[in-house]
Amino acid sequence: MRTVTVVGASLSGLYAARELRSQGFDGRLVVIGDELHRPYDRPPLSKGFLTGRTDEAGLELADPEETAELDAEWLLGTRARGLDPRGRTVVLDDGRTLSTDAVVIATGASARRLPGRHPAGVHTLRTLDDALALRHELTRGPRRVVVIGAGFIGAETASSCAALGHEVTVVEAAPLPLVPQLGPDMAAVCARLHQRAGVRLITGTGVAGLRGTDTVSGVVPAHGALLPADIVVAGVGVTPNTDWLAGSTLALNDGVLCDDGCTTSLPHVVAVGDVARIGGLRAEHWTAATEQPRVAVANLLAGRTVETVRSVPYFWSDQYGARIQFAGRREDGDTVRITEGDAVDPAGGGFLALYERAGRTTAVLAVDRPRSFMRVRRELVRAKERVESATR
Amino acid sequence: MIPVCRLEDLPEGESVRVETTPPVAVFHTEEGELYAVDDTCTHQDASLSQGWLEGRQVECPLHAASFDLRTGQPTCLPARRPVRTHRVTVEDGVVHVHLTVAEGTAAWARSTPVVPSAPQAHSPSAAEGTRTA
Ligand SMILES: Cc1cc2nc3c(=O)[nH]c(=O)nc-3n(C[C@H](O)[C@H](O)[C@H](O)COP(=O)(O)OP(=O)(O)OC[C@H]3O[C@@H](n4cnc5c(N)ncnc54)[C@H](O)[C@@H]3O)c2cc1C
Ligand code: FES
C-alpha cells in the first residue's frame, strides 16, 4: 500500500492519520478537508468557545510538532466531490484527481438547516466559522435568542447564551427533549435545567416559519404566539456528509454502510466517525470518532476485517453548569433507578441513575457524578467483554 | 506547604482535591504512595481527583486521558500537555503538599527568584512519591 487518502480533516480524520502512522504505514498520506482550518475540536464550540472561556488555540487537536511528525500532505480548503467505482481515485472539487490505494472516509456530518431562506441572524452551529459568526453577534449587546431544537447542541447553545446574559427561548417539537437518548423520566429531569436557569422552554410545537426579510425578527411556531427574535439558532440535528460518494459503489443510507469493523463493501475503503454507519448504528459522538479509527486502520492495513468496534457508547454534555454523562444502550421499557443524589433537584449536587432490564444494567446517566459514572461505565465495558468472549 | 488531611482520612486507592489556586489533587495509591498533581486535566476542564486511579496513573473522568502521577506526563491522548506535579510529605500523621512554583502561576513567584534552569514542572525530585507504608 503506497498511498492512503483520508477524506475529512477533523476529529476522526486526524485520529485515522495518527493510527495509520502508529500502526506502521510509512507511505504517502494525504488528508483532504473542505474547511480551511487545521483539525479542531467541536465540543467546546457550543460551550466554552461561545462564552469566551476557550479561544481558538484551545480548540486545536494537534500541535505543529505532531503535525510535522505525521508527515501528511494536507489539502485544506479542498472538497472531495467523488470516488470512482473501484475506490481508487478521489476526485477533487477543482477537477484534479488523486490516485490512491486506500481511502478513509471521515467526512462527518453537517448541521441540518431550516427549510426555506435564512435571513441574517439565523445560525447553525457545526463549524468554527459558524461559532465565530454566532459569537460575534452575541457580543453586540443583549439580544432575544430563540433556539430551535432542544437536543444537546440546542441545549448547550441556549445555556451559553443565557450565561452571556441574553434572553433565551428554546422551541422543541417533541413533547419533551432528549427522550430518544435518555428516556422520558431522565429527559424530564434535564428539561428542568433550562427552566432553573431562566430559559423559557416551549415543547410540543414545531416551527412554521421565520419572520423578517433581510434580518430575522421572529420565529413563527406551529402553535402559539409569535416569538420575537434577534438571533435564531437552529439545532435540529445533522445529516451525514455522503453526497460526494453518490457516484461510488458504496452503500449509503443515512451514512456509509460498514460492517462491525468500519469496512465498506470495498476492503480498501473504511469509514469512521459521524459519517459511518457501523454494524447498523451511526454514532454522533466524540468518543466514537476517536475510538473507531484504531479498528478501521487495523482492518484497512490487514485488507479485511480482523477486528471489530466493541465499545460501549458514551457521550457527555455541559449545560447550565451541570455536567451530564451517559454510557450504554438504553431501550424503551428499561426501568430507571436513582442510586445516588437527587434527580428532582439535579443542580443540587447531581445524581446517578442506572437503567436496568431483567436485572442487568443497560446504561448509566450521571449529572455531576464523574467518579461514580466512571465506575459504572467500566463495569458496562467489562460486562460487554464477558458476553462477547462467551459468544465467540 | 499546605496541610491536606490526616493520612487515615485518605485511604489507599482514594484521592482528595485541595482548593488551592489552581486546585491540586492528592492521590494515595494502592501501593501506599502519595502523589499530588494539578487537579484540572490539561485537555479540557475535568477534575482529576474524580478520575480512575490505577497503579501510578490516573485516568481523566471526561475523555479518558491518562497521566503518570510521577511525572505528570500524559500517557495517552487526548491530553498532550503534562500536569504539574507537587511534592507530598507526611508530618505527624498529616498529609502536606508543597506547591511547585512554576513561572506565572503562584503570585509570589514573581518576587521570589526561581532557579532559572530548573524544569520545575516535572523534575524527578518533585515527582517522587512519598511512601507511607
Ligand atoms: C457544537 C458541537 C458540540 C458537540 N459537543 C459534543 C459533546 O459534548 N459530546 C460529544 O460526545 N460529542 C459532541 N459533539 C459531537 C462531536 O464533535 C462529533 O461527533 C465529532 O466532531 C465527529 O467527528 P468526525 O471527524 O466524524 O466529523 P466532523 O467533526 O463533522 O468532521 C468532518 C470533516 O469533514 C469535512 N468534510 C465533509 N465533507 C467533505 C468533503 N466532501 N471533502 C472534504 N472534507 C469534507 C467537514 O467539513 C469536516 O471538517 C459536538 C458537536 C458539535 C458540532
Ligand atoms: S478533560 Fe481530561 S481528557 Fe478531556
PDB file of all heavy atoms in Angstrom, chain A residues 259-280:
ATOM      1  N   ASP A 259     -19.363  -2.787   7.905  1.00  0.00           N
ATOM      2  CA  ASP A 259     -19.523  -3.926   8.812  1.00  0.00           C
ATOM      3  C   ASP A 259     -19.095  -3.492  10.226  1.00  0.00           C
ATOM      4  O   ASP A 259     -18.778  -2.323  10.457  1.00  0.00           O
ATOM      5  CB  ASP A 259     -18.726  -5.140   8.289  1.00  0.00           C
ATOM      6  CG  ASP A 259     -17.213  -4.923   8.347  1.00  0.00           C
ATOM      7  OD1 ASP A 259     -16.756  -3.902   8.891  1.00  0.00           O
ATOM      8  OD2 ASP A 259     -16.484  -5.799   7.827  1.00  0.00           O
ATOM      9  N   ASP A 260     -19.018  -4.430  11.140  1.00  0.00           N
ATOM     10  CA  ASP A 260     -18.665  -4.088  12.522  1.00  0.00           C
ATOM     11  C   ASP A 260     -17.241  -3.582  12.663  1.00  0.00           C
ATOM     12  O   ASP A 260     -16.840  -3.113  13.723  1.00  0.00           O
ATOM     13  CB  ASP A 260     -18.803  -5.324  13.427  1.00  0.00           C
ATOM     14  CG  ASP A 260     -20.243  -5.737  13.588  1.00  0.00           C
ATOM     15  OD1 ASP A 260     -21.126  -4.926  13.260  1.00  0.00           O
ATOM     16  OD2 ASP A 260     -20.486  -6.871  14.038  1.00  0.00           O
ATOM     17  N   GLY A 261     -16.472  -3.715  11.584  1.00  0.00           N
ATOM     18  CA  GLY A 261     -15.078  -3.279  11.649  1.00  0.00           C
ATOM     19  C   GLY A 261     -14.808  -2.021  10.840  1.00  0.00           C
ATOM     20  O   GLY A 261     -13.663  -1.780  10.468  1.00  0.00           O
ATOM     21  N   CYS A 262     -15.837  -1.222  10.552  1.00  0.00           N
ATOM     22  CA  CYS A 262     -15.725   0.042   9.813  1.00  0.00           C
ATOM     23  C   CYS A 262     -15.369  -0.162   8.334  1.00  0.00           C
ATOM     24  O   CYS A 262     -15.003   0.792   7.647  1.00  0.00           O
ATOM     25  CB  CYS A 262     -14.686   0.981  10.428  1.00  0.00           C
ATOM     26  SG  CYS A 262     -14.838   1.254  12.183  1.00  0.00           S
ATOM     27  N   THR A 263     -15.437  -1.389   7.835  1.00  0.00           N
ATOM     28  CA  THR A 263     -15.075  -1.660   6.448  1.00  0.00           C
ATOM     29  C   THR A 263     -16.320  -1.610   5.574  1.00  0.00           C
ATOM     30  O   THR A 263     -17.364  -2.156   5.930  1.00  0.00           O
ATOM     31  CB  THR A 263     -14.412  -3.055   6.344  1.00  0.00           C
ATOM     32  OG1 THR A 263     -13.359  -3.127   7.297  1.00  0.00           O
ATOM     33  CG2 THR A 263     -13.864  -3.303   4.952  1.00  0.00           C
ATOM     34  N   THR A 264     -16.173  -0.954   4.403  1.00  0.00           N
ATOM     35  CA  THR A 264     -17.283  -0.865   3.459  1.00  0.00           C
ATOM     36  C   THR A 264     -17.258  -2.109   2.569  1.00  0.00           C
ATOM     37  O   THR A 264     -16.467  -3.023   2.786  1.00  0.00           O
ATOM     38  CB  THR A 264     -17.135   0.375   2.566  1.00  0.00           C
ATOM     39  OG1 THR A 264     -15.977   0.190   1.735  1.00  0.00           O
ATOM     40  CG2 THR A 264     -16.958   1.643   3.392  1.00  0.00           C
ATOM     41  N   SER A 265     -18.075  -2.092   1.510  1.00  0.00           N
ATOM     42  CA  SER A 265     -18.084  -3.239   0.602  1.00  0.00           C
ATOM     43  C   SER A 265     -16.757  -3.352  -0.152  1.00  0.00           C
ATOM     44  O   SER A 265     -16.446  -4.390  -0.724  1.00  0.00           O
ATOM     45  CB  SER A 265     -19.252  -3.127  -0.366  1.00  0.00           C
ATOM     46  OG  SER A 265     -19.305  -1.810  -0.882  1.00  0.00           O
ATOM     47  N   LEU A 266     -15.955  -2.290  -0.176  1.00  0.00           N
ATOM     48  CA  LEU A 266     -14.607  -2.360  -0.748  1.00  0.00           C
ATOM     49  C   LEU A 266     -13.621  -2.508   0.413  1.00  0.00           C
ATOM     50  O   LEU A 266     -13.595  -1.656   1.304  1.00  0.00           O
ATOM     51  CB  LEU A 266     -14.284  -1.070  -1.527  1.00  0.00           C
ATOM     52  CG  LEU A 266     -15.179  -0.760  -2.728  1.00  0.00           C
ATOM     53  CD1 LEU A 266     -14.899   0.637  -3.263  1.00  0.00           C
ATOM     54  CD2 LEU A 266     -14.999  -1.802  -3.821  1.00  0.00           C
ATOM     55  N   PRO A 267     -12.821  -3.562   0.424  1.00  0.00           N
ATOM     56  CA  PRO A 267     -11.955  -3.802   1.594  1.00  0.00           C
ATOM     57  C   PRO A 267     -10.901  -2.723   1.826  1.00  0.00           C
ATOM     58  O   PRO A 267     -10.387  -2.606   2.938  1.00  0.00           O
ATOM     59  CB  PRO A 267     -11.285  -5.148   1.279  1.00  0.00           C
ATOM     60  CG  PRO A 267     -11.517  -5.411  -0.160  1.00  0.00           C
ATOM     61  CD  PRO A 267     -12.716  -4.633  -0.578  1.00  0.00           C
ATOM     62  N   HIS A 268     -10.600  -1.924   0.794  1.00  0.00           N
ATOM     63  CA  HIS A 268      -9.602  -0.875   0.981  1.00  0.00           C
ATOM     64  C   HIS A 268     -10.260   0.481   1.229  1.00  0.00           C
ATOM     65  O   HIS A 268      -9.620   1.520   1.106  1.00  0.00           O
ATOM     66  CB  HIS A 268      -8.663  -0.812  -0.233  1.00  0.00           C
ATOM     67  CG  HIS A 268      -9.410  -0.600  -1.507  1.00  0.00           C
ATOM     68  ND1 HIS A 268     -10.064  -1.615  -2.162  1.00  0.00           N
ATOM     69  CD2 HIS A 268      -9.643   0.510  -2.235  1.00  0.00           C
ATOM     70  CE1 HIS A 268     -10.658  -1.124  -3.231  1.00  0.00           C
ATOM     71  NE2 HIS A 268     -10.433   0.163  -3.296  1.00  0.00           N
ATOM     72  N   VAL A 269     -11.552   0.479   1.560  1.00  0.00           N
ATOM     73  CA  VAL A 269     -12.237   1.724   1.916  1.00  0.00           C
ATOM     74  C   VAL A 269     -12.925   1.518   3.263  1.00  0.00           C
ATOM     75  O   VAL A 269     -13.739   0.606   3.418  1.00  0.00           O
ATOM     76  CB  VAL A 269     -13.275   2.128   0.840  1.00  0.00           C
ATOM     77  CG1 VAL A 269     -13.993   3.407   1.252  1.00  0.00           C
ATOM     78  CG2 VAL A 269     -12.609   2.308  -0.516  1.00  0.00           C
ATOM     79  N   VAL A 270     -12.560   2.348   4.230  1.00  0.00           N
ATOM     80  CA  VAL A 270     -13.194   2.266   5.548  1.00  0.00           C
ATOM     81  C   VAL A 270     -13.839   3.614   5.869  1.00  0.00           C
ATOM     82  O   VAL A 270     -13.503   4.634   5.254  1.00  0.00           O
ATOM     83  CB  VAL A 270     -12.164   1.910   6.656  1.00  0.00           C
ATOM     84  CG1 VAL A 270     -11.611   0.503   6.471  1.00  0.00           C
ATOM     85  CG2 VAL A 270     -11.028   2.933   6.698  1.00  0.00           C
ATOM     86  N   ALA A 271     -14.755   3.617   6.817  1.00  0.00           N
ATOM     87  CA  ALA A 271     -15.395   4.877   7.221  1.00  0.00           C
ATOM     88  C   ALA A 271     -15.419   4.966   8.734  1.00  0.00           C
ATOM     89  O   ALA A 271     -15.579   3.955   9.423  1.00  0.00           O
ATOM     90  CB  ALA A 271     -16.813   4.955   6.661  1.00  0.00           C
ATOM     91  N   VAL A 272     -15.234   6.177   9.239  1.00  0.00           N
ATOM     92  CA  VAL A 272     -15.178   6.403  10.691  1.00  0.00           C
ATOM     93  C   VAL A 272     -15.917   7.688  11.079  1.00  0.00           C
ATOM     94  O   VAL A 272     -16.093   8.577  10.256  1.00  0.00           O
ATOM     95  CB  VAL A 272     -13.709   6.523  11.174  1.00  0.00           C
ATOM     96  CG1 VAL A 272     -13.000   5.174  11.145  1.00  0.00           C
ATOM     97  CG2 VAL A 272     -12.922   7.538  10.351  1.00  0.00           C
ATOM     98  N   GLY A 273     -16.317   7.758  12.322  1.00  0.00           N
ATOM     99  CA  GLY A 273     -16.901   8.981  12.872  1.00  0.00           C
ATOM    100  C   GLY A 273     -18.365   9.160  12.509  1.00  0.00           C
ATOM    101  O   GLY A 273     -19.077   8.197  12.196  1.00  0.00           O
ATOM    102  N   ASP A 274     -18.797  10.408  12.517  1.00  0.00           N
ATOM    103  CA  ASP A 274     -20.220  10.723  12.361  1.00  0.00           C
ATOM    104  C   ASP A 274     -20.809  10.242  11.031  1.00  0.00           C
ATOM    105  O   ASP A 274     -22.017  10.076  10.911  1.00  0.00           O
ATOM    106  CB  ASP A 274     -20.437  12.244  12.462  1.00  0.00           C
ATOM    107  CG  ASP A 274     -20.378  12.749  13.897  1.00  0.00           C
ATOM    108  OD1 ASP A 274     -19.917  11.991  14.771  1.00  0.00           O
ATOM    109  OD2 ASP A 274     -20.800  13.902  14.144  1.00  0.00           O
ATOM    110  N   VAL A 275     -19.973  10.044  10.015  1.00  0.00           N
ATOM    111  CA  VAL A 275     -20.488   9.674   8.693  1.00  0.00           C
ATOM    112  C   VAL A 275     -20.700   8.170   8.573  1.00  0.00           C
ATOM    113  O   VAL A 275     -21.376   7.704   7.655  1.00  0.00           O
ATOM    114  CB  VAL A 275     -19.524  10.167   7.577  1.00  0.00           C
ATOM    115  CG1 VAL A 275     -18.272   9.294   7.489  1.00  0.00           C
ATOM    116  CG2 VAL A 275     -20.234  10.222   6.225  1.00  0.00           C
ATOM    117  N   ALA A 276     -20.163   7.379   9.495  1.00  0.00           N
ATOM    118  CA  ALA A 276     -20.136   5.922   9.335  1.00  0.00           C
ATOM    119  C   ALA A 276     -21.305   5.251  10.037  1.00  0.00           C
ATOM    120  O   ALA A 276     -21.597   5.549  11.199  1.00  0.00           O
ATOM    121  CB  ALA A 276     -18.822   5.384   9.883  1.00  0.00           C
ATOM    122  N   ARG A 277     -21.974   4.357   9.336  1.00  0.00           N
ATOM    123  CA  ARG A 277     -22.996   3.511   9.980  1.00  0.00           C
ATOM    124  C   ARG A 277     -22.366   2.138  10.142  1.00  0.00           C
ATOM    125  O   ARG A 277     -22.230   1.382   9.196  1.00  0.00           O
ATOM    126  CB  ARG A 277     -24.262   3.464   9.127  1.00  0.00           C
ATOM    127  CG  ARG A 277     -25.368   2.612   9.715  1.00  0.00           C
ATOM    128  CD  ARG A 277     -26.692   2.824   9.009  1.00  0.00           C
ATOM    129  NE  ARG A 277     -27.229   4.145   9.269  1.00  0.00           N
ATOM    130  CZ  ARG A 277     -27.909   4.484  10.374  1.00  0.00           C
ATOM    131  NH1 ARG A 277     -28.139   3.594  11.301  1.00  0.00           N
ATOM    132  NH2 ARG A 277     -28.336   5.711  10.549  1.00  0.00           N
ATOM    133  N   ILE A 278     -21.956   1.864  11.365  1.00  0.00           N
ATOM    134  CA  ILE A 278     -21.141   0.683  11.639  1.00  0.00           C
ATOM    135  C   ILE A 278     -21.997  -0.381  12.298  1.00  0.00           C
ATOM    136  O   ILE A 278     -22.552  -0.154  13.376  1.00  0.00           O
ATOM    137  CB  ILE A 278     -19.940   1.068  12.533  1.00  0.00           C
ATOM    138  CG1 ILE A 278     -19.057   2.055  11.755  1.00  0.00           C
ATOM    139  CG2 ILE A 278     -19.142  -0.159  12.955  1.00  0.00           C
ATOM    140  CD1 ILE A 278     -18.054   2.770  12.601  1.00  0.00           C
ATOM    141  N   GLY A 279     -22.105  -1.528  11.614  1.00  0.00           N
ATOM    142  CA  GLY A 279     -22.944  -2.595  12.164  1.00  0.00           C
ATOM    143  C   GLY A 279     -24.357  -2.112  12.417  1.00  0.00           C
ATOM    144  O   GLY A 279     -24.978  -2.495  13.401  1.00  0.00           O
ATOM    145  N   GLY A 280     -24.874  -1.228  11.564  1.00  0.00           N
ATOM    146  CA  GLY A 280     -26.258  -0.763  11.670  1.00  0.00           C
ATOM    147  C   GLY A 280     -26.446   0.482  12.517  1.00  0.00           C
ATOM    148  O   GLY A 280     -27.549   1.028  12.561  1.00  0.00           O
TER     149      GLY A 280
END
